Every structure is written in C-alpha cells, then in structure tokens.
C-alpha cells in the first residue's frame, strides 16, 4: 500500500463514524416526533400568557409589537378553519386548515386546504418532553380549536423546512386571531402550569389576568379594522 493511501484511511474511518452518527441522530429525531402519534394531547405545555405589561415592555425594544408592519407585509390574509389534522414536525406543529375566505393574497380559493405551521415545538431532555410556544404564540398562543374560524396572516414557509409547501404565521402576536364574539380565554397566573396541552385546547387565548384578556380583545379589534372587518368585542 502506498504511503498516501495509508494516510487517508484514518480520515475515511473518521468520516464513516460521523456519517453513521448523523444517520442514527436523524432516525432518533424522526422517531421522537412520529412516535407521539395521537398522544400529542397528553404532552405538557409551557404556556406564555398574554400580558399587557409584557407587551408594553417588549414594545419599547420591538416597535413592531405596537405597529402592524409584519401583518401588513404578510403574503396572504385568510380566514381559515381547522379541519382536525395535526402533526408534530421539527420546531413546530403542522395543522391542516380549510380556507373559508381570502382577504388578500394570490393563489388561494375558498375551500382550499393548506398546511400551516403553528409555532409550538417539542422540546426533549433526559427522557422528558415539553411543548413550547415560539414566535407568534409566545403571547398567549395555543393550538387552533377544531371547527373554530381564525384570521391568519401567512407567508410561504422557508424551502428548507420539513414541509416547504406549507405556510407560516407572520411573526407578530396577532398573526392568528379568533373570529368569535365570545373568545374563550383561560387565565394563567403563572407560566409554570405545564398541564397537558389538551387542558388548553378549549381556549383561544391564555392570559395573565382579566385586564390582559381585555387588552388583547381591544387590539384584536384594531387588527380586524385594519383588514376591513367589524369589531367583535362587546362594548
């Protein structure tokens, strides 16, 4: 064997180990999401309640929380209804929705069904599992209720994501809002409840207190007015 060839063998062996490790990691990651199956409702959820005080604090650092730039820049504005299908994917949850009306955007028709990334991902450590909200859902967000109608501001997903043909919510606390006269709100005085997510699925908002719930509804009406819809909150 030539000297150069002998020198290459350690590198080939090292890369082989790396490739095998990556393959195993990919399989384990895939299993960790797919083995949840219909048991997603039993997984604990770490809620981040909507809080007037938090919104005010963050708005000082991120003016977009007061303005509606990310919503106005969304590729499409749709009224949608969750059809019931939902599955965990890396970093988020894919939910199938039916388009009930198109307020803005091209390529959509009523009754179209699309997949939408809801920003609730699965975190795992030492055998533990926890569903964690991200992006738009860090402000009292929870899964869409089956059969309920929502206004959503969406963009095409990054092509590198698990399902590139799906859509993502704009990064804004009001990128998904319920279209209901009577919004079911749960008061969560702490973000450490971590109950099974099924305990929250009857609600459209998790709020820190009643005043925050009222503040959310007032701002929701501002968003509705922005897209030409009537206010829905009771006076």
């Amino acid at each position: 064997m030539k000297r150069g060839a002998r020198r290459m063998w350690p590198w080939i062996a090292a890369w082989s180990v790396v490739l095998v490790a990556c393959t195993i990691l990919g399989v384990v990651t895939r299993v960790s999401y797919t083995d949840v199956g219909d048991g997603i409702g039993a997984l604990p959820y770490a809620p981040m309640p909507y809080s007037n005080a938090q919104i005010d604090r963050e708005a000082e650092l991120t003016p977009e929380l007061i303005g509606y730039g990310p919503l106005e820049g969304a590729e499409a504005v749709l009224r949608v209804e969750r059809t019931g299908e939902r599955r965990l994917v890396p970093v988020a949850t894919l939910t199938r929705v039916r388009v009930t009306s198109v307020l803005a955007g091209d390529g959509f028709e009523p009754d179209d069904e699309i997949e939408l990334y809801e920003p609730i991902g699965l975190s795992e450590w030492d055998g533990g599992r926890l569903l964690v909200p991200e992006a738009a859902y860090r402000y009292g967000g929870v899964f869409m209720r089956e059969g309920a109608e929502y206004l959503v501001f969406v963009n095409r997903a990054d092509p590198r994501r698990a399902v590139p043909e799906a859509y993502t919510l704009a990064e804004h606390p009001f990128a998904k809002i319920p279209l209901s006269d009577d919004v079911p709100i749960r008061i969560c005085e702490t973000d450490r409840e971590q109950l099974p997510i099924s305990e929250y699925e009857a609600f459209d908002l998790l709020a820190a207190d009643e005043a925050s719930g009222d503040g959310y509804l007032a701002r929701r009406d501002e968003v509705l007015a922005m897209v030409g819809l009537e206010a829905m909150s009771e006076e």
Side-chain angles (χ1 to χ4, degrees), residues 6 29-30 38 58 65 73 88 105 130 135 139 141 145 150 154 165 175 182 186 196 202 204 211 219 229:
R6 285 197 298 268
T29 300
R30 182 179 181 83
D38 296 331
E58 294 197 12
L65 287 177
L88 284 170
L130 184 66
Y139 306 89
R145 293 185 295 119
Y150 298 88
V154 302
E165 64 272 20
D182 186 16
R186 178 185 175 115
D204 279 326
R219 293 199 65 191
L229 297 178

PDB file of all heavy atoms in Angstrom, residues 6 29-30 38 58 65 73 88 105 130 135 139 141 145 150 154 165 175 182 186 196 202 204 211 219 229:
ATOM      1  N   ARG A   6      -2.213   5.026   2.896  1.00  0.00           N
ATOM      2  CA  ARG A   6      -2.272   4.685   4.315  1.00  0.00           C
ATOM      3  C   ARG A   6      -2.695   5.895   5.143  1.00  0.00           C
ATOM      4  O   ARG A   6      -3.404   5.771   6.134  1.00  0.00           O
ATOM      5  CB  ARG A   6      -0.910   4.166   4.784  1.00  0.00           C
ATOM      6  CG  ARG A   6      -0.611   2.748   4.309  1.00  0.00           C
ATOM      7  CD  ARG A   6       0.513   2.161   5.135  1.00  0.00           C
ATOM      8  NE  ARG A   6       1.754   2.901   4.989  1.00  0.00           N
ATOM      9  CZ  ARG A   6       2.678   2.611   4.091  1.00  0.00           C
ATOM     10  NH1 ARG A   6       2.498   1.605   3.233  1.00  0.00           N
ATOM     11  NH2 ARG A   6       3.787   3.319   4.019  1.00  0.00           N
ATOM     12  N   THR A  29     -34.285  11.395  15.895  1.00  0.00           N
ATOM     13  CA  THR A  29     -35.098  12.604  15.853  1.00  0.00           C
ATOM     14  C   THR A  29     -36.427  12.348  15.185  1.00  0.00           C
ATOM     15  O   THR A  29     -37.483  12.789  15.648  1.00  0.00           O
ATOM     16  CB  THR A  29     -34.354  13.728  15.095  1.00  0.00           C
ATOM     17  OG1 THR A  29     -33.130  13.989  15.776  1.00  0.00           O
ATOM     18  CG2 THR A  29     -35.197  14.998  15.045  1.00  0.00           C
ATOM     19  N   ARG A  30     -36.405  11.577  14.086  1.00  0.00           N
ATOM     20  CA  ARG A  30     -37.639  11.264  13.374  1.00  0.00           C
ATOM     21  C   ARG A  30     -38.577  10.468  14.268  1.00  0.00           C
ATOM     22  O   ARG A  30     -39.766  10.754  14.346  1.00  0.00           O
ATOM     23  CB  ARG A  30     -37.316  10.486  12.091  1.00  0.00           C
ATOM     24  CG  ARG A  30     -38.566  10.170  11.274  1.00  0.00           C
ATOM     25  CD  ARG A  30     -38.202   9.417  10.011  1.00  0.00           C
ATOM     26  NE  ARG A  30     -39.364   9.138   9.210  1.00  0.00           N
ATOM     27  CZ  ARG A  30     -39.920   9.964   8.359  1.00  0.00           C
ATOM     28  NH1 ARG A  30     -39.422  11.172   8.214  1.00  0.00           N
ATOM     29  NH2 ARG A  30     -40.994   9.621   7.663  1.00  0.00           N
ATOM     30  N   ASP A  38     -51.203   9.979  18.131  1.00  0.00           N
ATOM     31  CA  ASP A  38     -52.386  10.681  18.608  1.00  0.00           C
ATOM     32  C   ASP A  38     -52.234  11.142  20.053  1.00  0.00           C
ATOM     33  O   ASP A  38     -53.161  11.713  20.622  1.00  0.00           O
ATOM     34  CB  ASP A  38     -53.617   9.774  18.486  1.00  0.00           C
ATOM     35  CG  ASP A  38     -53.932   9.440  17.025  1.00  0.00           C
ATOM     36  OD1 ASP A  38     -53.612  10.272  16.163  1.00  0.00           O
ATOM     37  OD2 ASP A  38     -54.491   8.361  16.775  1.00  0.00           O
ATOM     38  N   GLU A  58     -41.905  44.870  25.929  1.00  0.00           N
ATOM     39  CA  GLU A  58     -41.251  44.433  24.699  1.00  0.00           C
ATOM     40  C   GLU A  58     -41.441  45.440  23.575  1.00  0.00           C
ATOM     41  O   GLU A  58     -40.606  45.542  22.668  1.00  0.00           O
ATOM     42  CB  GLU A  58     -41.768  43.055  24.299  1.00  0.00           C
ATOM     43  CG  GLU A  58     -41.387  41.962  25.293  1.00  0.00           C
ATOM     44  CD  GLU A  58     -41.525  40.569  24.717  1.00  0.00           C
ATOM     45  OE1 GLU A  58     -41.691  40.445  23.487  1.00  0.00           O
ATOM     46  OE2 GLU A  58     -41.463  39.610  25.502  1.00  0.00           O
ATOM     47  N   LEU A  65     -44.342  45.429  17.710  1.00  0.00           N
ATOM     48  CA  LEU A  65     -45.428  44.911  18.537  1.00  0.00           C
ATOM     49  C   LEU A  65     -46.563  45.922  18.663  1.00  0.00           C
ATOM     50  O   LEU A  65     -47.710  45.553  18.910  1.00  0.00           O
ATOM     51  CB  LEU A  65     -44.909  44.535  19.932  1.00  0.00           C
ATOM     52  CG  LEU A  65     -44.052  43.272  20.018  1.00  0.00           C
ATOM     53  CD1 LEU A  65     -43.553  43.078  21.443  1.00  0.00           C
ATOM     54  CD2 LEU A  65     -44.843  42.055  19.569  1.00  0.00           C
ATOM     55  N   GLY A  73     -47.177  43.257   5.876  1.00  0.00           N
ATOM     56  CA  GLY A  73     -46.261  42.691   4.892  1.00  0.00           C
ATOM     57  C   GLY A  73     -46.475  41.212   4.609  1.00  0.00           C
ATOM     58  O   GLY A  73     -45.735  40.619   3.819  1.00  0.00           O
ATOM     59  N   LEU A  88     -46.757  16.737  14.722  1.00  0.00           N
ATOM     60  CA  LEU A  88     -45.516  17.384  15.136  1.00  0.00           C
ATOM     61  C   LEU A  88     -44.444  17.213  14.079  1.00  0.00           C
ATOM     62  O   LEU A  88     -44.288  16.142  13.490  1.00  0.00           O
ATOM     63  CB  LEU A  88     -45.027  16.776  16.454  1.00  0.00           C
ATOM     64  CG  LEU A  88     -45.765  17.219  17.724  1.00  0.00           C
ATOM     65  CD1 LEU A  88     -45.325  16.355  18.893  1.00  0.00           C
ATOM     66  CD2 LEU A  88     -45.489  18.684  18.020  1.00  0.00           C
ATOM     67  N   GLY A 105     -54.000  38.344  -1.048  1.00  0.00           N
ATOM     68  CA  GLY A 105     -53.052  37.313  -1.472  1.00  0.00           C
ATOM     69  C   GLY A 105     -53.538  36.558  -2.688  1.00  0.00           C
ATOM     70  O   GLY A 105     -54.740  36.437  -2.934  1.00  0.00           O
ATOM     71  N   LEU A 130     -41.709  18.347  26.471  1.00  0.00           N
ATOM     72  CA  LEU A 130     -42.487  19.538  26.789  1.00  0.00           C
ATOM     73  C   LEU A 130     -42.773  20.292  25.488  1.00  0.00           C
ATOM     74  O   LEU A 130     -41.886  20.502  24.673  1.00  0.00           O
ATOM     75  CB  LEU A 130     -41.691  20.436  27.740  1.00  0.00           C
ATOM     76  CG  LEU A 130     -42.392  21.695  28.260  1.00  0.00           C
ATOM     77  CD1 LEU A 130     -43.570  21.319  29.152  1.00  0.00           C
ATOM     78  CD2 LEU A 130     -41.389  22.559  29.020  1.00  0.00           C
ATOM     79  N   ALA A 135     -42.297  32.291  18.651  1.00  0.00           N
ATOM     80  CA  ALA A 135     -42.735  33.349  17.720  1.00  0.00           C
ATOM     81  C   ALA A 135     -44.101  33.910  18.116  1.00  0.00           C
ATOM     82  O   ALA A 135     -44.283  34.374  19.236  1.00  0.00           O
ATOM     83  CB  ALA A 135     -42.735  32.809  16.298  1.00  0.00           C
ATOM     84  N   TYR A 139     -47.254  34.833  23.005  1.00  0.00           N
ATOM     85  CA  TYR A 139     -48.128  35.822  23.625  1.00  0.00           C
ATOM     86  C   TYR A 139     -49.521  35.222  23.830  1.00  0.00           C
ATOM     87  O   TYR A 139     -50.506  35.666  23.248  1.00  0.00           O
ATOM     88  CB  TYR A 139     -48.200  37.081  22.753  1.00  0.00           C
ATOM     89  CG  TYR A 139     -46.826  37.628  22.442  1.00  0.00           C
ATOM     90  CD1 TYR A 139     -46.125  37.197  21.319  1.00  0.00           C
ATOM     91  CD2 TYR A 139     -46.206  38.534  23.301  1.00  0.00           C
ATOM     92  CE1 TYR A 139     -44.844  37.673  21.055  1.00  0.00           C
ATOM     93  CE2 TYR A 139     -44.933  39.010  23.043  1.00  0.00           C
ATOM     94  CZ  TYR A 139     -44.254  38.574  21.918  1.00  0.00           C
ATOM     95  OH  TYR A 139     -42.988  39.036  21.651  1.00  0.00           O
ATOM     96  N   GLY A 141     -50.510  32.189  22.977  1.00  0.00           N
ATOM     97  CA  GLY A 141     -50.960  31.313  21.904  1.00  0.00           C
ATOM     98  C   GLY A 141     -51.166  29.871  22.340  1.00  0.00           C
ATOM     99  O   GLY A 141     -50.478  29.361  23.222  1.00  0.00           O
ATOM    100  N   ARG A 145     -58.564  25.676  17.715  1.00  0.00           N
ATOM    101  CA  ARG A 145     -59.627  24.754  18.095  1.00  0.00           C
ATOM    102  C   ARG A 145     -60.289  24.187  16.843  1.00  0.00           C
ATOM    103  O   ARG A 145     -60.514  24.897  15.866  1.00  0.00           O
ATOM    104  CB  ARG A 145     -60.671  25.468  18.944  1.00  0.00           C
ATOM    105  CG  ARG A 145     -60.162  25.909  20.310  1.00  0.00           C
ATOM    106  CD  ARG A 145     -61.272  26.505  21.154  1.00  0.00           C
ATOM    107  NE  ARG A 145     -61.790  27.740  20.581  1.00  0.00           N
ATOM    108  CZ  ARG A 145     -63.050  27.919  20.187  1.00  0.00           C
ATOM    109  NH1 ARG A 145     -63.926  26.918  20.297  1.00  0.00           N
ATOM    110  NH2 ARG A 145     -63.435  29.086  19.692  1.00  0.00           N
ATOM    111  N   TYR A 150     -60.548  31.419  12.199  1.00  0.00           N
ATOM    112  CA  TYR A 150     -59.487  32.353  12.585  1.00  0.00           C
ATOM    113  C   TYR A 150     -59.106  33.241  11.402  1.00  0.00           C
ATOM    114  O   TYR A 150     -59.247  32.851  10.230  1.00  0.00           O
ATOM    115  CB  TYR A 150     -58.245  31.585  13.051  1.00  0.00           C
ATOM    116  CG  TYR A 150     -58.480  30.727  14.263  1.00  0.00           C
ATOM    117  CD1 TYR A 150     -58.927  29.424  14.114  1.00  0.00           C
ATOM    118  CD2 TYR A 150     -58.295  31.220  15.552  1.00  0.00           C
ATOM    119  CE1 TYR A 150     -59.186  28.623  15.224  1.00  0.00           C
ATOM    120  CE2 TYR A 150     -58.540  30.437  16.661  1.00  0.00           C
ATOM    121  CZ  TYR A 150     -58.979  29.141  16.495  1.00  0.00           C
ATOM    122  OH  TYR A 150     -59.235  28.355  17.588  1.00  0.00           O
ATOM    123  N   VAL A 154     -50.231  35.051   6.775  1.00  0.00           N
ATOM    124  CA  VAL A 154     -49.302  33.954   6.486  1.00  0.00           C
ATOM    125  C   VAL A 154     -48.296  34.311   5.403  1.00  0.00           C
ATOM    126  O   VAL A 154     -48.516  35.185   4.561  1.00  0.00           O
ATOM    127  CB  VAL A 154     -50.064  32.676   6.074  1.00  0.00           C
ATOM    128  CG1 VAL A 154     -51.032  32.246   7.170  1.00  0.00           C
ATOM    129  CG2 VAL A 154     -50.800  32.867   4.754  1.00  0.00           C
ATOM    130  N   GLU A 165     -43.866  23.364   1.251  1.00  0.00           N
ATOM    131  CA  GLU A 165     -45.070  23.879   0.600  1.00  0.00           C
ATOM    132  C   GLU A 165     -46.107  24.390   1.599  1.00  0.00           C
ATOM    133  O   GLU A 165     -47.169  24.890   1.221  1.00  0.00           O
ATOM    134  CB  GLU A 165     -45.705  22.808  -0.292  1.00  0.00           C
ATOM    135  CG  GLU A 165     -46.221  21.584   0.438  1.00  0.00           C
ATOM    136  CD  GLU A 165     -45.168  20.506   0.615  1.00  0.00           C
ATOM    137  OE1 GLU A 165     -43.964  20.832   0.520  1.00  0.00           O
ATOM    138  OE2 GLU A 165     -45.545  19.342   0.828  1.00  0.00           O
ATOM    139  N   ALA A 175     -50.854  37.514  14.599  1.00  0.00           N
ATOM    140  CA  ALA A 175     -50.811  36.845  13.298  1.00  0.00           C
ATOM    141  C   ALA A 175     -51.905  35.803  13.157  1.00  0.00           C
ATOM    142  O   ALA A 175     -52.249  35.401  12.052  1.00  0.00           O
ATOM    143  CB  ALA A 175     -49.441  36.197  13.089  1.00  0.00           C
ATOM    144  N   ASP A 182     -67.437  35.637  21.287  1.00  0.00           N
ATOM    145  CA  ASP A 182     -67.147  35.234  22.665  1.00  0.00           C
ATOM    146  C   ASP A 182     -65.879  34.378  22.669  1.00  0.00           C
ATOM    147  O   ASP A 182     -65.939  33.162  22.519  1.00  0.00           O
ATOM    148  CB  ASP A 182     -68.328  34.450  23.243  1.00  0.00           C
ATOM    149  CG  ASP A 182     -68.147  34.123  24.717  1.00  0.00           C
ATOM    150  OD1 ASP A 182     -67.276  34.746  25.355  1.00  0.00           O
ATOM    151  OD2 ASP A 182     -68.853  33.225  25.219  1.00  0.00           O
ATOM    152  N   ARG A 186     -58.506  31.606  28.962  1.00  0.00           N
ATOM    153  CA  ARG A 186     -58.128  30.985  30.232  1.00  0.00           C
ATOM    154  C   ARG A 186     -57.122  31.887  30.940  1.00  0.00           C
ATOM    155  O   ARG A 186     -56.145  32.332  30.328  1.00  0.00           O
ATOM    156  CB  ARG A 186     -57.511  29.609  30.007  1.00  0.00           C
ATOM    157  CG  ARG A 186     -57.041  28.932  31.311  1.00  0.00           C
ATOM    158  CD  ARG A 186     -56.333  27.620  31.037  1.00  0.00           C
ATOM    159  NE  ARG A 186     -55.783  27.053  32.253  1.00  0.00           N
ATOM    160  CZ  ARG A 186     -56.178  25.911  32.800  1.00  0.00           C
ATOM    161  NH1 ARG A 186     -57.149  25.222  32.246  1.00  0.00           N
ATOM    162  NH2 ARG A 186     -55.606  25.460  33.905  1.00  0.00           N
ATOM    163  N   PRO A 196     -51.160  19.082  30.642  1.00  0.00           N
ATOM    164  CA  PRO A 196     -51.279  18.503  29.300  1.00  0.00           C
ATOM    165  C   PRO A 196     -51.927  19.518  28.366  1.00  0.00           C
ATOM    166  O   PRO A 196     -52.864  20.235  28.761  1.00  0.00           O
ATOM    167  CB  PRO A 196     -52.181  17.282  29.527  1.00  0.00           C
ATOM    168  CG  PRO A 196     -51.942  16.908  30.950  1.00  0.00           C
ATOM    169  CD  PRO A 196     -51.744  18.215  31.678  1.00  0.00           C
ATOM    170  N   ALA A 202     -59.542  24.028  24.693  1.00  0.00           N
ATOM    171  CA  ALA A 202     -60.880  24.632  24.614  1.00  0.00           C
ATOM    172  C   ALA A 202     -60.800  26.151  24.588  1.00  0.00           C
ATOM    173  O   ALA A 202     -61.834  26.823  24.522  1.00  0.00           O
ATOM    174  CB  ALA A 202     -61.738  24.175  25.798  1.00  0.00           C
ATOM    175  N   ASP A 204     -58.887  29.972  23.213  1.00  0.00           N
ATOM    176  CA  ASP A 204     -58.198  30.649  22.112  1.00  0.00           C
ATOM    177  C   ASP A 204     -57.107  31.579  22.608  1.00  0.00           C
ATOM    178  O   ASP A 204     -56.299  32.060  21.819  1.00  0.00           O
ATOM    179  CB  ASP A 204     -59.188  31.459  21.273  1.00  0.00           C
ATOM    180  CG  ASP A 204     -59.931  30.583  20.269  1.00  0.00           C
ATOM    181  OD1 ASP A 204     -59.329  29.624  19.763  1.00  0.00           O
ATOM    182  OD2 ASP A 204     -61.109  30.872  20.001  1.00  0.00           O
ATOM    183  N   ALA A 211     -57.508  41.820  32.934  1.00  0.00           N
ATOM    184  CA  ALA A 211     -57.175  43.067  32.245  1.00  0.00           C
ATOM    185  C   ALA A 211     -56.392  42.790  30.960  1.00  0.00           C
ATOM    186  O   ALA A 211     -56.604  43.448  29.936  1.00  0.00           O
ATOM    187  CB  ALA A 211     -56.380  43.982  33.167  1.00  0.00           C
ATOM    188  N   ARG A 219     -57.051  45.125  21.107  1.00  0.00           N
ATOM    189  CA  ARG A 219     -56.086  45.163  20.000  1.00  0.00           C
ATOM    190  C   ARG A 219     -56.535  44.266  18.857  1.00  0.00           C
ATOM    191  O   ARG A 219     -56.250  44.541  17.692  1.00  0.00           O
ATOM    192  CB  ARG A 219     -54.699  44.773  20.493  1.00  0.00           C
ATOM    193  CG  ARG A 219     -54.088  45.785  21.448  1.00  0.00           C
ATOM    194  CD  ARG A 219     -52.600  45.627  21.563  1.00  0.00           C
ATOM    195  NE  ARG A 219     -51.930  45.928  20.303  1.00  0.00           N
ATOM    196  CZ  ARG A 219     -50.646  45.662  20.059  1.00  0.00           C
ATOM    197  NH1 ARG A 219     -49.906  45.083  20.989  1.00  0.00           N
ATOM    198  NH2 ARG A 219     -50.098  45.955  18.912  1.00  0.00           N
ATOM    199  N   LEU A 229     -62.712  44.326   8.605  1.00  0.00           N
ATOM    200  CA  LEU A 229     -63.724  43.540   9.287  1.00  0.00           C
ATOM    201  C   LEU A 229     -64.258  44.319  10.499  1.00  0.00           C
ATOM    202  O   LEU A 229     -63.559  45.150  11.068  1.00  0.00           O
ATOM    203  CB  LEU A 229     -63.151  42.200   9.750  1.00  0.00           C
ATOM    204  CG  LEU A 229     -62.675  41.257   8.643  1.00  0.00           C
ATOM    205  CD1 LEU A 229     -62.075  39.981   9.250  1.00  0.00           C
ATOM    206  CD2 LEU A 229     -63.806  40.907   7.683  1.00  0.00           C
TER     207      LEU A 229
END
